[in-house]
Amino acid sequence: MALLEVQDLHVHYGAVHALQGISFTVEEGQVATLIGSNGAGKSTTLRTISGLVRPSSGSIRFDGQHIGAMAPHKIVRLGIAQSPEGRGVFANLTVHENLEIGAYTRNDRAEVARDRERVLHLFPRLRERLKQLSGTLSGGEQQMLAIARALLARPRLLLLDEPSLGLAPQIVKTIFQIIREINESGTTILLVEQNAHMALRAANQGYVLEVGKIVLADDAHKLSQSDEVRKAYLGIS
Amino acid sequence: MATLAERAKSLRPSASKMALDSVGPVVLAIGLTLLLHFVVGPAVGHSGTKILLDMGINIVLAVSLNMVNGFTGQFSIGHAGFMAIGGYTAGIVTYYGGYKLFGTTNPTGGFLGAGQWLFALSCIAGAVTSGFFGYLVGLPSLRLKGDYLALVTLGFGEIVCVLLTQSGAVVPASGIDAVPAWQLPYHVGGAVGFSPLPFYTNLFWVYLFVCITVLFAYRLKESNHGRALLSIREDEIAAEASGIAVTPIKVRAFAFSAAFAGVAGGLYFHLLGALPKPGELGFQKSFEIIIMVVLGGMGSVSGTILAAIVLTILPEVLREFSDYRMVVYALALVLMMLVRPQGLFGIREIWELGRERRKKARGSR
């Protein structure tokens, strides 16, 4: 059974039919990616899974449990953490404080301390800046912090919303390298990206979203070879 | 590698440190209040004592409002309304309750005598009532974002004032027995105000409650709950995505803030020279408190304490300028906001300030 199963999901923003019945699955231990252009509904999908947006119909099952109508803070406790679009770091708090909030739902202090070490090992840049206000970090460092903060909730499923947004190519590379490392250590990842090239290289399974519908679903490698994707998203003709 | 249990044990502070951390502040607080009451109070005379009392009450008001406006980033402008609820509740307890207990509406007993304990109890009753109302007001309005809370709290403060203006005249001591007990809370003086209440407020009780408020606020800020509040202020969606139940925790902060405003109300109502009437507790009073919070730094406990002290003393110092003093006061505020729009200390504490500047210098390389 898949770790995450989304079935016939519909979301409305007022009169706008943002998601028009999408279905997809994320297998345990894998990286799945949703690619698509602006306004395709990628972020809406993530926000619906994490409970920030309410679906109008359809089902979301995490590890067999229905989470479609659950409050976001309960979903985090079940094991889904999100690094939100635009990073959403707490600018006036230090890096250290941001990480503490990431572990807000947990009471096992010693385990949190150990996870913090692990995360800082993944992101050595953050260790250098623990006492710094996170608003003063560079864009790439803020993205690292957003991912690190989500990891401290110790999720089984990590939702990443556009981790490459507005970052220099060199930093995008580093971040995707780390995303792979996170996955190798056992965390399942659902990645939303406009940077289809990087996303499909990192993922096992890929889905292409177009105006609220999934138009293609395949093995990520095969997707990156297909003509439609190459033309529309990879800019190769 | 050590086992988990061993690691957990090594992270736990030693028993002596824990005892010092928990008992230390209490001993310090009681020492400070006794010092103020018996040494400082007599030394500064009547007018000095009055300023110190006002200052203490302002500190309680400003620090408690800071929990909502500062830590949580929600803009409440009805703090005086909660102060009124607490004050009237406390007044009913000491005036009518005092009569039922002691047979007189005058102050009873000396320092730490029976009357004073009733007074302390009345402040706590004020806190409970006010906190309950804070919960009721917060529950629907804190689901909304942005300016809605400001509007709702403004409206709430005014409703409290209007309702209190409509209340009946205070029953004099000679007539209390003739009125059924359940009707007594209605007779709180209307627009004229609730007087004559027994003057129980002294330096000891005011600064004891100051210490409790400040300790509560500071410990809250340093705790997991406090960090949750700060994160809500920074980015509500990201806070929600980090597993924080945003609305319930906002409502809780709002209720606690209202409760401490209720304590301040109780202290204010039993203060010699105070004006315990609805007209004094309108939105103008609320704004006075907001100014202290903004000036001190939204989220800085030590900053708001300092601002409350300065803004209590400033009008007294400026008395020489008589007619112009409010102009000077206003100018000082405008100037302050131009120079430091984030308030004196932003969200940090006084002692953290130097550290941060050094860090920034190092961080920028």
Side-chain angles (χ1 to χ4, degrees), chain B residues 189-215:
Chain B
V192 193
F194 198 173
S195 56
L197 288 178
F199 300 128
Y200 281 124
T201 304
N202 59 25
L203 285 171
F204 176 77
W205 288 111
V206 167
Y207 280 88
L208 193 65
F209 281 117
V210 166
C211 290
I212 293 170
T213 313
V214 171
L215 266 179

Side-chain angles (χ1 to χ4, degrees), chain B residues 36-56:
Chain B
L36 274 166
H37 190 84
F38 288 110
V39 181
V40 180
V44 294
H46 271 301
S47 59
T49 304
K50 173 74 169 65
I51 295 174
L52 279 178
L53 291 170
D54 283 339
M55 202 186 279

Side-chain angles (χ1 to χ4, degrees), chain B:
Chain B
M1 185 142 177
T3 66
L4 204 63
E6 283 165 27
R7 282 170 59 95
K9 212 175 274 173
S10 69
L11 282 171
R12 195 180 302 152
S14 69
S16 59
K17 186 174 182 309
M18 273 194 328
L20 198 72
D21 276 356
S22 48
V23 181
V26 179
V27 174
L28 213 69
I30 292 176
L32 175 78
T33 51
L34 289 175
L35 182 78
L36 274 166
H37 190 84
F38 288 110
V39 181
V40 180
V44 294
H46 271 301
S47 59
T49 304
K50 173 74 169 65
I51 295 174
L52 279 178
L53 291 170
D54 283 339
M55 202 186 279
I57 293 172
N58 282 337
I59 292 174
V60 174
L61 286 169
V63 170
S64 62
L65 185 66
N66 202 2
M67 292 176 205
V68 172
N69 290 29
F71 296 178
T72 324
Q74 312 295 309
F75 214 75
S76 162
I77 45 182
H79 214 47
F82 294 112
M83 184 188 173
I85 290 178
Y88 275 92
T89 307
I92 291 164
V93 171
T94 53
Y95 186 80
Y96 294 119
Y99 178 81
K100 299 278 184 204
L101 279 175
F102 312 127
T104 168
T105 59
N106 294 323
T108 321
F111 182 65
L112 293 188
Q116 295 229 319
W117 286 107
L118 179 71
F119 165 62
L121 207 70
S122 80
C123 288
I124 291 162
V128 172
T129 317
S130 183
F132 174 70
F133 274 92
Y135 184 77
L136 285 187
V137 174
L139 208 51
S141 51
L142 286 165
R143 287 182 186 282
L144 306 169
K145 297 188 165 87
D147 307 336
Y148 296 102
L149 182 71
L151 287 177
V152 172
T153 48
L154 179 69
F156 170 77
E158 292 309 295
I159 290 170
V160 169
C161 281
V162 171
L163 286 181
L164 289 171
T165 314
Q166 303 302 317
S167 58
V170 177
V171 182
S174 56
I176 292 179
D177 286 329
V179 181
W182 63 272
Q183 279 183 6
L184 288 173
Y186 168 72
H187 294 280
V188 291
V192 193
F194 198 173
S195 56
L197 288 178
F199 300 128
Y200 281 124
T201 304
N202 59 25
L203 285 171
F204 176 77
W205 288 111
V206 167
Y207 280 88
L208 193 65
F209 281 117
V210 166
C211 290
I212 293 170
T213 313
V214 171
L215 266 179
F216 181 90
Y218 183 66
R219 287 259 161 111
L220 174 70
K221 189 181 172 189
E222 299 289 299
S223 75
N224 212 15
H225 290 297
R227 268 192 298 276
L229 293 175
L230 290 172
S231 73
I232 291 171
R233 156 199 161 125
E234 294 293 312
D235 188 329
E236 208 163 317
I237 302 219
E240 223 170 354
S242 302
I244 293 162
V246 170
T247 304
I249 207 163
K250 274 202 276 188
V251 173
R252 225 175 300 159
F254 194 69
F256 273 110
S257 162
F260 281 107
V263 171
L267 296 171
Y268 179 74
F269 270 46
H270 298 87
L271 178 66
L272 179 69
L275 298 164
K277 56 185 183 185
E280 289 293 313
L281 300 165
F283 80 107
Q284 214 163 353
K285 182 74 193 170
S286 294
F287 271 106
E288 269 175 41
I289 310 165
I290 289 174
I291 290 172
M292 289 174 198
V293 174
V294 174
L295 188 72
M298 311 262 268
S300 169
V301 178
S302 45
T304 25
I305 295 173
L306 192 68
I309 292 172
V310 169
L311 291 185
T312 314
I313 294 177
L314 201 59
E316 302 298 328
V317 176
L318 293 177
R319 246 175 227 292
E320 294 176 36
F321 299 95
S322 61
D323 290 349
Y324 299 104
R325 80 178 169 126
M326 285 332 270
V327 178
V328 177
Y329 177 85
L331 274 177
L333 280 179
V334 171
L335 209 69
M336 177 68 211
M337 284 295 102
L338 282 174
V339 179
R340 270 191 88 82
Q342 74 275 43
L344 287 171
F345 299 107
I347 69 168
R348 297 292 154 183
E349 302 300 335
I350 292 174
W351 53 90
E352 292 172 333
L353 218 60
R355 235 188 296 160
E356 207 146 87
R357 200 163 293 148
R358 256 175 281 139
K359 227 176 296 150
K360 242 178 223 166
R362 229 185 305 135
S364 60
R365 271 188 281 184

Side-chain angles (χ1 to χ4, degrees), chain A residues 47 52 72-73 76-77 88 90-94 97 100-101 104-105 110-111 114 128-129 131-133 149, chain B residues 4 7 11 224 227-228 230-231 234-235 237-245 249 347-348 359 363 365:
Chain A
R47 292 164 61 89
L52 295 169
H73 64 270
V76 175
R77 278 164 211 270
F90 305 119
N92 283 311
L93 304 184
T94 62
E97 287 167 326
E100 296 250 310
I101 291 165
Y104 176 77
T105 52
E111 276 291 291
R114 190 183 292 180
E128 294 165 22
R129 291 164 198 276
K131 299 272 161 87
Q132 203 171 316
L133 294 187
R149 189 180 61 193
Chain B
L4 204 63
R7 282 170 59 95
L11 282 171
N224 212 15
R227 268 192 298 276
L230 290 172
S231 73
E234 294 293 312
D235 188 329
I237 302 219
E240 223 170 354
S242 302
I244 293 162
I249 207 163
I347 69 168
R348 297 292 154 183
K359 227 176 296 150
R365 271 188 281 184

